[in-house]
Structures are given as C-alpha cells and as structure tokens.
C-alpha cells in the first residue's frame, strides 16, 4: 500500500457527473464520450448503483462491461471516480439474506425494488459490501482511468435508522461499550422517571414506536449509534479498498440537507470531502441554502478543497413542484460552490434516464439532446471551468464562525420541546443570511473547536452544550472573541438533561445572564423589543431573563416578557458575550448584528443587493468570485482580470445580470497549495 493522494490526479477543476451507461447499448457509450469531450468533461463517477450487474449472483462476478467502459473512458482522456455499489444491494442479496432488511421505527420491514441500504448491522451486508469493494479494488486499483474511489452513496439517505434484530443486538453492544454498566446507563438516561429502570441488558431495546414519548436520552443515543454504524460500514469498505488502491477515497455527503450523519466525524475518515446539493424549490433564495451547504462541506473537511459530487443542471424529480433552473442559474450555482472551496463541479447525471424512477430528473445531456439550452450551458460551463484551472488548491478564509452541531440538532428535534416552532435550521439560516448579505464569509464549527482564529462566533441554535464545550466558548470570549448566543441554547448536557443551575447556566460567566423561564408565544402572535430608539418586531419566543452583570441593550415591549431584558451584552475578559433571547425579524437581526460587528471589528462589504462575493486565496493570487443573483448588472469595487472574459480593470468589475465573474487580484493573505 502506498500513501493516498490528497487530490485526484487531475489538472485544473474537475468537471462531469454520475455516469450510468449500463442503461444504454455500447454504441451510445461511444456517443457519450465524444459529447463529454465536447462539453469539457474530465471526470465521471461510475458503478454507484451497478452491484447487480457486476456481482450477478452471490460470489459470481462479471467485470467485462466495466473493463470495456473504463478502457473507453481512459482512451478518451476522461478520468473515473469508481463507485462501490453498496447503496443498492441486488435482488439476490435480499433473497439470500432476508434478515438483512431494514426495519423501521414502527416495525415495517423494507422491501426490495427500489434502492437503499440494507441493515447497517447485518453481518451478511457487512460481508457482502466488503467483498464487492475488495473485488473492485483488486481489479481496478491500477487502472489508469481511476483517480478516486466513491464508496456507497449518501449514507443515511433516505433511511439511516434500523430497528431490525441485527441492529438491536449491535445497539446493546454499543451501549455496553459506551456506559460499561447498567447503572451508568440508567443514570444517563434518567430512567428513574416514568419507571424505566433497566435491570438486564437484554431488556434494553431500540427506541421503537411506543404508546407515548420515548425516553429522549435513549433516542439521542440511538441517533449516535446509527451514525456510528453507518460510519463503520464506510470504514470497512474504505479499508478494503485501501489494501489495493492508493487513490483518494470519498463518500458523498448531503451536508445540511440530510442531518442523520455527524459530518464532523465523517470528515476525519474521508480523504476528500464530497457533497451533493439540490436546490429546494419552495426556497426562493435557494442560493443562500446552497452557500450554507458549500461552507459546511468545506468546514467539515478542515478548510481543504472539496468536491461537489452532485447537483442538477436543471429540475430534480422528487419535490412537490420540480422547478427548472432558468438560464444562467446552473452556472451561478456552480460558481458559488467553487467560490466556497469546491475544486470539482459534478452533476447527477450525465445522460437523462429513459426508464426508471429518475427519468424526469435533468441531466447534462437532456432528453432533448444536444440542441438544447441545457447542453449549451453545460458546454459553456465546461469551458469556463477550464479557464479557472489556476484556482484549484486555493483556500477560503473566514473571519466568522457559526456553530453547527449535529448532536445538538438531533437532541433538539426530539419530542415535547417548549414550542414546536423552535427550529435550528431556521435560526442558523437567519443569522447566516445576514452575514451572506453583508459579504462576511463564514466557516462552520463545533463549540469544542479552537475558535481563536475567528473574530466573531455565532451560536444560533446550540441547545445541547456540554460543560466542557461551554468552558471552551467562555475561554474564547475571555481571550478577546465576540460570541453571540441565540435563545434555547446551553439548555441540556450530552444526556439531554437540563443543566444544573438552570437554562444557560454553563454560559453564565461569558454572557452575564440566566434564563429563569421560557416564555414562548402563540403561533402568529408578535411583540417588540426596543433597541436604542429602534422598535424591532419579534415573534415565537421570549424569555424571563435575569441579568447577572450584563448590560441590557434591548427590552421587551408587549408579549409575555413585557419589560424584561431581551438582548444583552457582557464584557468578559478581553471579549464580549451577546445574548439574544428572542426571534427578531430580518431587519431586527440586522440592527443587532451591526452592533455586534462593531465589537468584532468586522465591516460589512457594502455589496450591491443580490451580489455574492467570496474570495479564494492562492499562493500567487487571490480569486474574487462574484455571483450576481439580481436581474440588473452591478459593479463591484474589485480590480483585476476576470478569468472568464480575460478583461482587466483597474477599478471595478461589472457583473452582468444573473452573471458571474472570477477576478484574479494580488494575493492578500496567503493560502493555497
Ligand atoms: C441524490 C442521489 C442521486 C440521485 C439524485 C437526484 O440524492 O445521490 O443518485 O438520485 O439524488 O436528485
């Protein structure tokens, strides 16, 4: 075994997508590769769902078509990201191993005829998935087309949890490992309440559907267990491949769009982070959700360049209304990902399927063929990305961090919370949106990370916060940082148990406040807060907040907390801790953050409305990526050469309505390869 490479052996930005040629006769493959060359494609992912056509019966392999395919791609200079097909076990697998089927929380056994995971804990599945990964690696590790390995597909999507007998047996072992004794488990889960005390390990079940709410600590542990088992499946395949192959190994995440896996832990296991992102049609500012996904992908990979493994050229086919992308939108989406650190822009899928579940999904080569808007835009994007080759390897630098903690989200999403309007994604998005509009680049982070490099840290939804991580945040403030904490944070510990001392107690020192009681509002009710002489609208949530050293910057006007402190600012050591105990509207949050920026020494970029700006820092140059989401041309005060047009300017760059620009400017902060 040799050392794995940090990045597939490609020049420039990788461009291409999933390629599932087993749907067509070989003549079509020849047409495909010719058109791929025309479009500038240099990387395709193959074999992701091909298990049944490679292992045709248990232990019987037919590699002939894959041999031919890889040779053809290689002969045409197209590199391969080779999939292990374990997200879709074949019919023979489920027929031979019916016990390896997933059982849902309500006891339904999942059938065959779709795609999807077998039980992550079934020995037959573990064995079969390692076998196919091993055979593929043994055969193709040295194939010159193969530059990367793509294990499985989107672990945990659509189903991660499993309540089958194999899963329950593995769960008990996992609990024994975690707690050591039943006494420790009983204490962590608080089983003294509702008479749930366990006297035998065999009595500890999975948190299946029950007459009322199931113990939340048990459910939180089950989410951790599920994540652990899925990751164990990945690691087993990865290590099997690594015995033979030295190319980088990845598996595609769904960053913020599926939260069943703890991507901070997964980020440590992959050689390169890769992510799939699909716009959600009801979201009329989908570019902001997309930017979150991109920043999160970069962050879980420790800031290194990452791979956009899938997005769509136009409509998807699995939403209530599958809205087609309008001209220019695919390029804007792609450039946002690139600006936020992606060195590969790939799609699902190369050629649109004629049959099967995804035939109404867009593709690089649509049903309409090459004489189509989509194919013309695909080809134009290929040539734009070729012009950006020198951007590869450059890094994004962020002054601000937003805390994103999957465990906390899992815990917050359990039942019987003080209000069903509490929504961590909504809070993160609200804070992120304001920074996006202000042109302040964001990393995501965990509360236990070293945050000292950031001048601003935001905690929009940190419901679960361990005392240890709270101490880290407190030290961050003491060291000179500016911390902003939003409501319903630092409420519980790792066992979903309320902190001793009450809500927010672990951050008391940093914030100088404590929460005496939650005062949620009825849906639709509004109240206000007064911030200096501005009256700001709030809704959904207020608190009976007690000040313990902090300065009160805003008080409630009306609503259940009328007259009580609403927004506070506390000096602690060399830094400042802000607490926002309610949900201001967008204008209100902007007003609060303007004051926060002053503490953090940050200045909004003052961008024209709808213009997104991110900078990648290389060794020899910076690359300012400008994406114009508005329908008017805008001028940005960026001087340099637009790599897409070759135009040089010494004062400003004009970006066409709906257009993009990537401006090479002198290097400012180092970074790069
Ligand atoms: C992804 C999946 C692809 C394809 C795509 C359609 O989640 O990995 O295989 O189904 O969705 O949008």
């Amino acid at each position: 075994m040799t050392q794995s490479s940090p990045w597939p052996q490609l020049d420039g930005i990788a461009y291409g997508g999933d390629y599932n040629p087993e749907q067509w006769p070989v003549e079509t493959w020849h047409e495909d590769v010719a058109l791929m060359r025309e479009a500038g494609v240099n990387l395709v992912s193959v074999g992701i769902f091909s298990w049944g056509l490679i292992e045709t019966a248990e232990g019987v392999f037919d590699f002939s078509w894959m041999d031919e395919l890889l040779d053809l791609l290689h002969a045409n200079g197209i590199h391969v990201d080779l999939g292990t097909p374990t997200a879709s076990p074949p019919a023979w697998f489920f027929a031979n191993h019916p016990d390896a089927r997933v059982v849902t929380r309500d006891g339904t056994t999942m059938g065959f005829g779709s795609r999807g995971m077998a039980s992550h804990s079934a020995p037959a599945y573990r064995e079969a998935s390692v076998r196919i990964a091993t055979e593929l690696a043994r055969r193709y590790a040295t194939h010159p087309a193969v530059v990367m390995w793509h294990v499985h597909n989107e672990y945990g999507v659509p189903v991660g949890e499993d309540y089958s007998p194999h899963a329950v047996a593995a769960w008990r072992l996992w609990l024994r490992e975690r707690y050591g004794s039943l006494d420790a488990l009983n204490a962590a889960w608080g089983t003294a309440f509702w008479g749930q005390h366990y006297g035998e390990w065999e009595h500890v079940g999975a948190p299946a559907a029950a007459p009322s709410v199931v113990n939340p600590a048990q459910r939180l542990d089950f989410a951790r267990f599920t994540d652990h088992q899925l990751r164990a499946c990945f690691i087993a395949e990865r290590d099997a491949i690594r015995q033979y192959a030295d190319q980088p190994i990845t598996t595609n995440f769904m960053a913020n769009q599926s939260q069943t896996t703890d991507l901070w832990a997964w980020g440590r296991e992959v050689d390169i982070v890769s992510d799939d992102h699909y716009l959600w049609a009801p979201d009329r500012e989908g570019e902001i959700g997309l930017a979150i996904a991109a920043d999160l992908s970069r962050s879980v990979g420790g800031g290194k360049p990452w791979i956009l493994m899938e997005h769509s050229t136009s409509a998807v086919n699995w939403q209530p209304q599958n809205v087609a992308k309008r001209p220019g939108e695919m390029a804007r989406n792609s450039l946002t990902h690139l600006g936020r650190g992606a060195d590969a822009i790939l799609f699902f899928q190369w050629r649109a399927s004629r049959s099967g579940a995804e035939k109404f999904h867009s593709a690089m080569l649509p049903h309409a063929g090459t004489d189509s808007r989509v194919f013309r835009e695909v080809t134009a994007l290929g040539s734009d990305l070729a012009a950006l080759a020198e951007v590869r390897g450059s890094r994004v630098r962020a002054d601000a961090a937003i805390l994103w903690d999957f465990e906390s989200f899992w815990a917050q999403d359990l039942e019987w919370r003080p209000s069903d309007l509490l929504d961590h994604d909504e809070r993160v998005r609200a804070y992120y949106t304001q920074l996006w509009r202000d042109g302040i680049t964001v990393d995501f982070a965990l509360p236990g990370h070293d945050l000292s490099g950031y001048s601003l840290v935001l905690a929009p939804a940190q419901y679960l916060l361990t005392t240890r991580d709270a101490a880290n945040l407190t030290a961050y403030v003491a060291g000179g940082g500016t911390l902003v904490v939003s409501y319903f944070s630092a409420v519980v510990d790792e066992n979903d148990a309320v902190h001793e001392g009450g809500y927010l107690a672990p951050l008391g020192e940093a914030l100088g406040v404590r929460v005496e009681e939650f005062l949620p509002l009825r849906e639709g009710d509004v109240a206000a807060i007064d911030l200096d002489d501005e009256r700001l609208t709030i809704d959904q949530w207020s608190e009976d907040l007690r000040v313990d050293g902090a300065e009160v910057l805003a008080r409630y006007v009306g609503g259940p907390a009328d007259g009580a402190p609403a927004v506070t600012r506390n000096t602690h050591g060399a830094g400042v801790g802000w607490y926002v105990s309610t949900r201001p509207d967008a204008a209100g949050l902007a007003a609060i953050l303007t004051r926060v920026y002053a503490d953090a020494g940050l200045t909004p970029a003052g961008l024209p409305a709808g213009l997104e700006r991110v900078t990648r820092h290389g060794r020899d140059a910076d690359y300012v990526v400008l994406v114009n989401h508005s329908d008017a041309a805008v001028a940005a005060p960026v001087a340099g050469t637009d790599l897409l047009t070759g135009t040089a300017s010494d004062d400003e760059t004009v970006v066409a309505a709906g257009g993009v620009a990537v401006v090479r400017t002198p290097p400012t902060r180092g970074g790069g390869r």
Side-chain angles (χ1 to χ4, degrees), residues 18 48-49 115 153-154 157 252 254 276 278 310 312 316-318 348 358 361:
D18 283 17
I48 299 171
F49 295 105
R115 66 174 174 187
N153 192 68
E154 295 179 347
V157 182
N252 45 341
M254 280 209 92
D276 299 349
Y278 291 96
E310 296 178 19
S312 67
V316 299
N317 71 324
W318 42 265
F348 175 85
E358 302 196 76
H361 196 291

Side-chain angles (χ1 to χ4, degrees), residues 105 194 196 207-215 219 415-416:
R105 189 161 184 250
W194 277 11
Q196 292 172 351
S212 184
V213 168
V214 170
N215 186 307
R219 294 201 65 186
E415 298 121 314
W416 288 8

Side-chain angles (χ1 to χ4, degrees), residues 180 188 206 243 247 315 324 334 373 392 395 407 424 473 497 522 606 635 658:
Q243 286 180 58
Q247 298 94 339
S334 300
R373 175 189 69 80
R392 184 167 78 88
R395 299 288 186 102
E407 286 209 2
H424 46 79
L473 293 177
R522 291 184 173 82

Side-chain angles (χ1 to χ4, degrees), residues 339-415:
R340 294 176 187 278
D343 273 359
I345 303 295
L346 311 172
F347 293 92
F348 175 85
Q349 60 179 328
W350 163 254
R351 182 186 278 268
S353 298
R354 285 190 56 219
S355 307
E358 302 196 76
K359 55 183 166 291
F360 297 123
H361 196 291
S362 60
M364 299 176 83
L365 180 58
H367 292 300
T370 52
D371 184 10
S372 60
R373 175 189 69 80
V374 166
F375 191 70
R376 279 187 285 276
E377 289 195 25
V378 162
T379 305
L381 180 59
S383 98
D384 278 355
L385 294 177
L388 298 179
E390 66 182 82
V391 175
R392 184 167 78 88
S394 57
R395 299 288 186 102
V396 175
R397 301 266 181 262
D399 290 322
I402 293 183
L403 301 186
W404 182 289
D405 185 346
F406 292 95
E407 286 209 2
S408 180
F409 296 168
W410 297 340
Q412 182 174 332
D413 286 343
L414 296 172
E415 298 121 314

Side-chain angles (χ1 to χ4, degrees), residues 101-132:
R101 292 172 197 228
V102 168
V103 176
T104 63
R105 189 161 184 250
D106 66 3
T108 306
T109 303
M110 304 294 263
F112 180 68
S114 175
R115 66 174 174 187
M117 189 62 189
S119 166
H120 50 56
S121 298
Y125 175 70
R126 291 281 182 103
E127 207 177 292
S129 56
V130 166
R131 183 175 62 226
I132 184 83

